[in-house]
Amino acid sequence: MPRVDTHREPMPKLEPSARRETFEEVAVGYEQATAEHEASRCILCPRQPCVGGCPVGVDIPQFVKALREKDMPAAVRILKSKNSLPGICGRVCPQESQCERQCVIGKLGAPIAIGRLERYVADWEMAHGPVAAAAPTSSQPSGKRVAVVGSGPAGLTASADLAKSGHQVTIFESLHTPGGVLAYGIPEFRLPQRIVKTEVEYVCSLGVEMRLNWVVGKTITIDEILSDGYQAVFLGTGAGLPQFLNLPGENYGGIYSSNEFLTRINLMKAYLFPSYRTPINIGQVVAVIGGGNVAMDSARCALRSGAREVYLVYRRSRTEMPAREEEIENALEEGVIFKLLTNPRKFLGNDQGQVTGMECVEMELGEPDQSGRRRPVVKPGSEFVMKVDTVVVAVGTTPHPLVPSTTPGLTVSAHGTIAADEGSGQTTRPAVWAGGDATTGSATVISAMGAGRRAAAAIDHYLRKGTGG
Amino acid sequence: MHRILRKEDLTPSVHLLEIEAPAIARKAKAGQFVMVRLDEAGERIPLTLADWAPQAGSITLVFLEVGRETNMLAKLCAGDYLTDVAGPLGQPTHIEKFGTVVCVGGGVGVAAIAPIARSMNEAGNRVVSIMGARSSNLLFWEDRLKSVSHEFIVITDDGSHGRHGVVTQPLKEVLERAPGPDRVIAIGPAVMMKFCALTARPFSVKTIVSLNPIMVDGTGMCGSCRVSVAGQTRFACLDGPDFDAQDVDWDLLLNRLRTYADKEKQALEMWRRQCASAPAREGESSGHAQG
C-alpha cells in the first residue's frame, strides 16, 4: 500500500493585484490532472466519516472514486443524486468545518479537498452538457401540489427532492431573479451568476415551476395558496431583514446595510453603472462593520468598485471572526485593512446629510460570553474618529416578518425565526413546513439545503400517507 | 413579463400605463405600490397604484418623467412589455368612516390620492379634495378626483387654472372651519408634504402622508427606504408608505432622496445624448432596444 499523500493540491487563484479590477471568479478551479491527483489521495476508507459530515449526505468516496477513474458522467450522477446544487456548494460550503473536517487524511495532514473536487465535477458537467440520470429520477406522479416559498438554497433543494418524488412543485420567489441569497448576496467573484442560473435551470428541468415577483404575504398569502389546490407548503424564506447598529447618525446617506450594498452590486449590477441603471455611491474610503462572510464579501466588492481604502471594522479579534479562513485570507490578500477590536459609537455627517466619519472606540477582550467567545469591552478613553465616505453595516440579518405576520397559526420565536421541528421542519401550522435561515437565523447554504431535504422527505411522507395518495 | 394594455399622456411629462397584472389587481388596495423593472439592465423603481381592475386583471400606474428610468418608461407604448412588476407592496392606507377627510394631492401625487379619496368616499366620509400643480399644463384627473369629492379645490402656483397659490393655503382654510376635518391625507413632493404637516400641526388633526424614499427591493430586504418616524427608524416599504406626518423627520427624508442626485444627472444626460444620436422611429418604441 502506497504511503498516504498528505499534501493537497492548491486551488489556482487570480493574482491579488489583478482582482481589484475585476468581478471575475477568484478561485479558478482545478485542471483535470490536479483534480485526478487530488482524488487519488483519498484512501476510500470503509467508515467514510466525510459522508456523515455532509448535511445532505453526498456519497463522497464514490464520486471521488469515479473522478479518479475518469468516469465523469458517473461522478456527476453520484453527486447529483444527493446534491442538486453541486456547483454552488463546491464554491460556498464551509467544507473545512463539515465533510473535510471528518476526513481521516486530515489527521495526518491536509484533508482531501472535497469541496474543490465537487466543484470540478459540477463544472465538468456545465462544460460538457447535462449528464442523463442513471435511473429515472421521477417517481410516479403523485397528483399532489406543493408550494415552495423562496428560491434560495433551502427552497431549491426541497423543490428538487419533491419533484423527484413525483409531486408538482411551484416556487414563489419575491425577487425578479431566482436564487435568494445566492443571487442577491454572494458576489460574482465567489459564485458566478452563470453557476446559479445553470443549477436553478436544472431544478426547473425536474418539472418545478418558478414564479418570479410573487411576494408571498402580499401577492398571495399562505391561506390562499392552501385553498388554491396546494396540499403542502415549504417556507424557505431565509433571513433577509437587515440589522442595523442603532447608533446616532446611522441614516446618513452613504451608510448601507450589507443587504442593500450587495443587492445593488450583485443583483442589480451597480458596478456596471451607467450601462446597468442602478447606482451606488462608493467613496474613496469605505468602512465595513462586521466580521462574517458577508462583511468580507462587502469589503471585497468595495475594493473592486473603485474604493481607494477599505477598512474592515470588527469589535473582537481575528480569532473570533465568524468568516471562513479562506475568505479572510482573500480579503487580506486583496488589501482590505483590518481594524480589529474597534467599535463604532456614532456616525458623523455633513450638512447634505452624507456620512463623513465614524467615531470609534477601541475594545479589549474580557470574559467569555454566552457564545463562548471573549466579550469585547470598551477601553476607556480610546475614542477616535475615522474619516470615511461610505459605510456598510454587515452585522447580521434576521428572518423576514412578511410570511409569519400574514399566516395565522404560524408561531415565531422572539428572534423572529419560524418555530419548526428540527428534524422534519414541521411548523405549528398544519400542512406548512419550514427550513433554512428562516428557522435558524443566518447560517450556511448547506445547512439550509439539509433542512430543505429533511422537510421534503417529511412532506413526501405526509402527502403519500396523509390523504391516501 | 407584463403587457402594457394602454398608454395615455396625462400631461407632456406625466404618463399613465395600464398593465396586465392579474395577481396584483386582485389584491391591490388604496395606498399600496408596486416595484417595476423595465428591462434586464433596469433599476427597480417604486410606483404607486393609481388604479386597478380585478376583473380585467390590470393595474394602472402614473408617473412623472424625472430621471432616466422614468424617461425610458415614457417611451413605451401599448403592446410593449415591462420585464418585472411585483406587488402590491406596503401597508394599505387606513380607510374608515372618520367624518370629514381632506385629501391633498400635489403634482403626480394626484394619481396616488385619487384611489384614497374614492375609498374614503365609499367608506362614508365627506371628502374635501385639494389638488395642486405648478401650472395648468401639469394638471390631470381633475374630473376623476372631483367625482369622488363632496368639495373640490384646484390651485396652481401661477394661477393659470383654479385658485392662485399653493395647496397649504386652502388646506389652512379648511382646517380653520368649525367643525374642522377629522383627518388629512397629503400626497405629493416631499416638500409639499412637509409643509402640509406644518400647516396642520396647530389644529391637532391626524395628518397622514405617503413617503417616497429611494427603494431597491421594496419588500423590506435592503433598508434603503429607512425613514425616521417619532425617533424610530422604519422601513417605508414594509411599515409604510403611510406615516403620521407630525412624526416624520423631513430633513432626513429630503437628504436621503438626494443621495444619488449626481449619478441620476449623469445617467439622464447620457440617455438624452443616446436619444439625440439615435432617435426612435416614429410610432416605434425604443425602450427595450436601448436596454
Side-chain angles (χ1 to χ4, degrees):
Chain A
M1 179 146 175
R3 274 190 57 207
V4 170
D5 180 355
T6 56
H7 297 285
R8 68 158 59 180
E9 288 285 352
M11 172 58 94
K13 294 201 283 188
L14 287 187
E15 282 302 315
S17 57
R19 295 186 214 156
R20 278 182 98 132
E21 313 299 321
T22 176
F23 273 76
E24 262 174 52
E25 192 170 17
V26 167
V28 178
Y30 281 161
E31 301 279 336
Q32 184 184 342
T34 41
E36 284 170 5
H37 177 251
E38 183 62 25
S40 73
R41 293 174 56 222
C42 177
I43 58 167
L44 299 171
C45 61
R47 279 189 48 238
Q48 41 191 38
C50 52
V51 180
C54 173
V56 297
V58 167
D59 193 347
I60 294 164
Q62 289 309 308
F63 97 74
V64 170
K65 182 164 175 278
L67 196 168
R68 75 184 186 201
E69 288 170 357
K70 299 181 197 286
D71 187 354
M72 291 305 290
V76 170
R77 276 194 293 269
I78 295 162
L79 185 54
K80 285 180 96 172
S81 71
K82 288 291 172 61
N83 187 343
S84 301
L85 314 172
I88 294 167
C89 288
R91 288 171 167 83
V92 304
C93 265
Q95 291 96 7
E96 65 279 5
S97 58
Q98 301 188 336
C99 52
E100 293 176 11
R101 190 182 191 169
Q102 306 297 328
C103 175
V104 295
I105 307 290
K107 295 186 172 59
L108 308 166
I112 306 300
I114 299 167
R116 295 171 186 174
L117 295 178
E118 178 182 34
R119 169 186 164 162
Y120 176 77
V121 173
D123 288 2
W124 182 90
E125 190 193 20
M126 277 179 222
H128 292 81
V131 170
T137 47
S138 294
S139 322
Q140 283 288 87
S142 69
K144 301 290 165 69
R145 293 171 77 199
V146 185
V148 170
V149 185
S151 64
L156 288 173
T157 304
S159 299
D161 283 10
L162 287 162
K164 285 179 186 170
S165 303
H167 308 297
Q168 203 182 321
V169 180
T170 306
I171 299 182
F172 293 87
E173 164 57 46
S174 68
L175 288 172
H176 59 261
T177 301
V181 72
L182 307 169
Y184 73 76
I186 303 180
E188 182 76 18
F189 54 81
R190 208 148 74 75
L191 177 63
Q193 280 307 300
R194 66 186 159 78
I195 307 290
V196 179
K197 191 164 176 278
T198 305
E199 300 203 331
V200 167
E201 279 167 4
Y202 166 70
V203 172
C204 291
S205 76
L206 301 169
V208 172
E209 183 201 357
M210 180 73 71
R211 289 200 196 167
L212 300 173
N213 298 313
W214 280 72
V215 185
V216 173
K218 290 290 181 188
T219 318
I220 193 166
T221 62
I222 299 297
D223 284 346
E224 288 165 335
I225 287 173
L226 284 169
S227 63
D228 196 26
Y230 291 90
Q231 283 81 33
V233 175
F234 174 74
L235 304 175
T237 44
L241 196 70
Q243 295 301 292
F244 286 94
L245 295 156
N246 295 315
L247 293 177
E250 200 169 11
N251 293 333
Y252 281 130
I255 303 180
Y256 294 91
S257 75
S258 50
N259 263 9
E260 180 183 357
F261 190 76
L262 293 174
T263 299
R264 282 183 183 270
I265 291 175
N266 301 329
L267 183 70
M268 307 308 297
K269 298 195 166 52
Y271 63 94
L272 300 174
F273 184 88
S275 313
Y276 277 75
R277 305 197 296 273
T278 301
I280 192 163
N281 286 340
I282 296 180
Q284 293 281 298
V285 182
V286 178
V288 176
I289 301 162
N293 288 323
V294 172
M296 300 302 152
D297 286 346
S298 302
R300 297 172 68 197
C301 279
L303 272 180
R304 286 163 170 77
S305 306
R308 197 186 65 220
E309 284 171 23
V310 178
Y311 292 92
L312 189 113
V313 178
Y314 181 54
R315 64 196 181 120
R316 305 185 199 239
S317 74
R318 182 169 164 176
T319 324
E320 289 82 20
M321 272 191 179
R324 290 180 72 184
E325 189 56 33
E326 186 180 320
E327 301 309 330
I328 295 173
E329 279 165 20
N330 281 329
L332 286 168
E333 275 175 13
E334 288 164 18
V336 174
I337 305 159
F338 283 19
K339 278 201 92 70
L340 304 173
L341 290 164
T342 303
N343 210 16
R345 286 276 277 264
K346 75 187 236 198
F347 297 97
L348 312 171
N350 61 18
D351 56 2
Q352 303 292 303
Q354 300 298 309
V355 69
T356 55
M358 201 160 78
E359 191 185 297
C360 298
V361 282
E362 289 175 23
M363 312 294 282
E364 49 199 3
L365 294 177
E367 293 301 307
D369 64 10
Q370 282 172 330
S371 73
R373 295 181 298 178
R374 293 177 63 192
R375 198 167 64 89
V377 289
V378 175
K379 214 189 263 183
S382 63
E383 293 82 4
F384 70 101
V385 170
M386 271 180 83
K387 289 186 76 169
V388 296
D389 308 307
T390 306
V391 174
V392 182
V393 180
V395 295
T397 54
T398 53
H400 201 289
L402 201 49
V403 170
S405 69
T406 54
T407 309
L410 199 65
T411 303
V412 174
S413 80
H415 305 291
T417 54
I418 299 170
D421 180 84
E422 230 178 274
S424 70
Q426 171 77 57
T427 68
T428 52
R429 170 79 192 255
V432 179
W433 283 257
D437 286 4
T439 60
T440 59
S442 198
T444 62
V445 167
I446 191 72
S447 62
M449 291 175 61
R453 155 140 316 151
R454 290 192 298 276
I459 292 170
D460 179 52
H461 182 74
Y462 165 82
L463 292 175
R464 297 206 174 270
K465 178 188 85 138
T467 39
Chain B
M1 298 290 270
H2 296 261
R3 196 155 61 98
I4 298 172
L5 303 169
R6 185 167 69 90
K7 184 196 182 188
E8 191 184 332
D9 299 324
L10 298 176
T11 80
S13 57
V14 176
H15 311 281
L16 176 151
L17 295 178
E18 188 181 343
I19 294 157
E20 202 170 56
I24 301 172
R26 259 198 314 271
K27 298 300 288 277
K29 289 203 168 66
Q32 291 187 296
F33 65 93
V34 292
M35 295 301 298
V36 170
R37 197 175 68 130
L38 199 160
D39 56 39
E40 278 308 313
E43 251 187 288
R44 290 172 66 98
I45 55 168
L47 294 174
T48 304
L49 283 158
D51 205 355
W52 51 93
Q55 261 83 48
S58 70
I59 59 170
T60 298
L61 306 175
V62 171
F63 61 93
L64 172 72
E65 287 181 52
V66 274
R68 172 169 64 169
E69 208 65 28
T70 43
N71 270 269
M72 290 178 79
L73 212 50
K75 296 271 185 211
L76 300 186
C77 305
D80 287 342
Y81 287 83
L82 294 176
T83 299
D84 302 288
V85 182
L89 300 170
Q91 304 297 327
T93 297
H94 180 185
I95 305 285
E96 67 170 65
K97 188 173 176 183
F98 296 106
T100 298
V101 177
V102 185
C103 293
V104 185
V108 73
V110 167
I113 206 78
I116 295 172
R118 182 178 64 201
S119 300
M120 286 295 184
N121 183 322
E122 285 164 4
N125 292 287
R126 183 170 186 277
V127 175
V128 180
S129 291
I130 301 170
M131 166 174 181
R134 281 203 310 279
S135 186
S136 61
N137 64 359
L138 293 165
L139 286 169
F140 63 93
W141 278 13
E142 187 174 347
D143 290 344
R144 192 177 175 124
L145 191 54
K146 202 185 238 171
S147 71
V148 295
S149 309
H150 298 84
E151 194 182 333
F152 180 80
I153 301 158
V154 58
I155 187 163
T156 49
D157 293 12
D158 62 1
S160 55
H161 185 75
R163 287 178 54 176
H164 186 183
V166 292
V167 292
T168 47
Q169 294 159 353
L171 174 62
K172 185 158 180 281
E173 291 160 20
V174 176
L175 287 163
E176 279 166 344
R177 292 174 187 169
D182 301 284
R183 182 165 283 235
V184 175
I185 301 172
I187 306 180
V191 173
M192 182 209 92
M193 293 191 285
K194 175 183 173 175
F195 281 99
C196 287
L198 290 174
T199 304
R201 179 163 285 173
F203 299 90
S204 55
V205 53
K206 184 94 158 173
T207 302
I208 302 296
V209 287
S210 177
L211 302 185
N212 57 342
I214 298 167
M215 294 184 184
V216 183
D217 66 290
T219 64
M221 215 189 75
C222 81
S224 165
C225 69
R226 59 199 196 271
V227 291
S228 179
V229 181
Q232 298 280 314
T233 294
R234 310 288 296 274
F235 289 2
C237 69
L238 207 58
D239 308 316
D242 287 6
F243 292 102
D244 190 320
Q246 305 306 344
D247 294 338
V248 173
D249 181 339
W250 293 103
D251 294 338
L252 177 72
L253 177 72
L254 287 161
N255 277 335
R256 287 187 65 84
L257 280 169
R258 280 192 289 263
T259 301
Y260 300 102
D262 294 346
K263 291 231 158 52
E264 279 164 14
K265 198 165 157 239
Q266 175 201 350
L268 188 58
E269 279 165 9
M270 181 179 131
W271 159 248
R272 290 208 168 118
R273 275 199 306 276
Q274 279 174 2
C275 287
S277 61
R281 276 167 291 170
E282 201 173 333
E284 188 183 307
S285 157
S286 63
H288 295 300
Q290 300 282 343

